Amino acid sequence: MSDYAGDLAPQQAWDLLSTDPDTVLVDVRTSAEWQWVGGADLSQLGKPVVGIEWVSSAGEPNQRFVEQLGQAGVGPEAPVLFLCRSGHRSAAAARAATAAGYGPAYNVAEGFEGDPDALGHRGTVNGWKVAGLAWRQS
């Protein structure tokens, strides 16, 4: 048994976000990643993406993560999907949210950029972007 609701492929995450009006997407990457790499775009669904860093750009854990979920308006019973670069930080965030009483909490497996290819580059093998889901870059 998992310590959160489970892993969803990016398309499954999009489908849940599309069909359940209460579902929230929380991007747990750093502000630098949001700015330079881009992020999921839910505007066609009429939803925002909630950005709460799991770890800061300086590598410091965000001790206020769960508190910031509430401050961002994430309700404790809303289905919440966590997204990061590759699915590792977001799995940790889903565990923390579940432990704090949020959920169901899901990890978006593969993340935004996905696994590295043979040359070590992300964004070519799998993930939100490769799945062709809506995203934008600032």
Side-chain angles (χ1 to χ4, degrees):
M1 181 165 160
S2 179
D3 42 3
Y4 56 93
D7 296 323
L8 298 177
Q11 185 63 56
Q12 292 174 304
W14 179 267
D15 293 345
L16 184 56
L17 287 158
S18 299
T19 58
D20 185 338
D22 297 326
T23 301
V24 178
L25 180 64
V26 178
D27 188 329
V28 302
R29 296 174 303 146
T30 65
S31 59
E33 288 173 291
W34 302 328
Q35 182 177 1
W36 299 105
V37 179
D41 180 5
L42 304 181
S43 59
Q44 65 184 288
L45 302 179
K47 295 182 174 189
V49 175
V50 176
I52 304 173
E53 293 180 317
W54 178 251
V55 175
S56 73
S57 297
E60 295 294 322
N62 180 358
Q63 302 296 329
R64 296 183 53 234
F65 182 79
V66 171
E67 176 187 343
Q68 290 172 347
L69 278 175
Q71 290 172 343
V74 178
E77 296 179 10
V80 58
L81 311 178
F82 293 96
L83 177 71
C84 70
R85 179 182 69 180
S86 61
H88 297 289
R89 287 174 285 175
S90 50
R95 283 185 199 93
T98 299
Y102 284 86
Y106 297 92
N107 172 42
V108 180
E110 305 172 14
F112 183 68
E113 293 182 81
D115 297 318
D117 63 19
L119 298 175
H121 301 142
R122 294 186 187 271
T124 62
V125 175
N126 56 14
W128 186 278
K129 288 170 61 175
V130 171
L133 301 173
W135 68 283
R136 67 182 327 160
Q137 192 168 27
S138 29

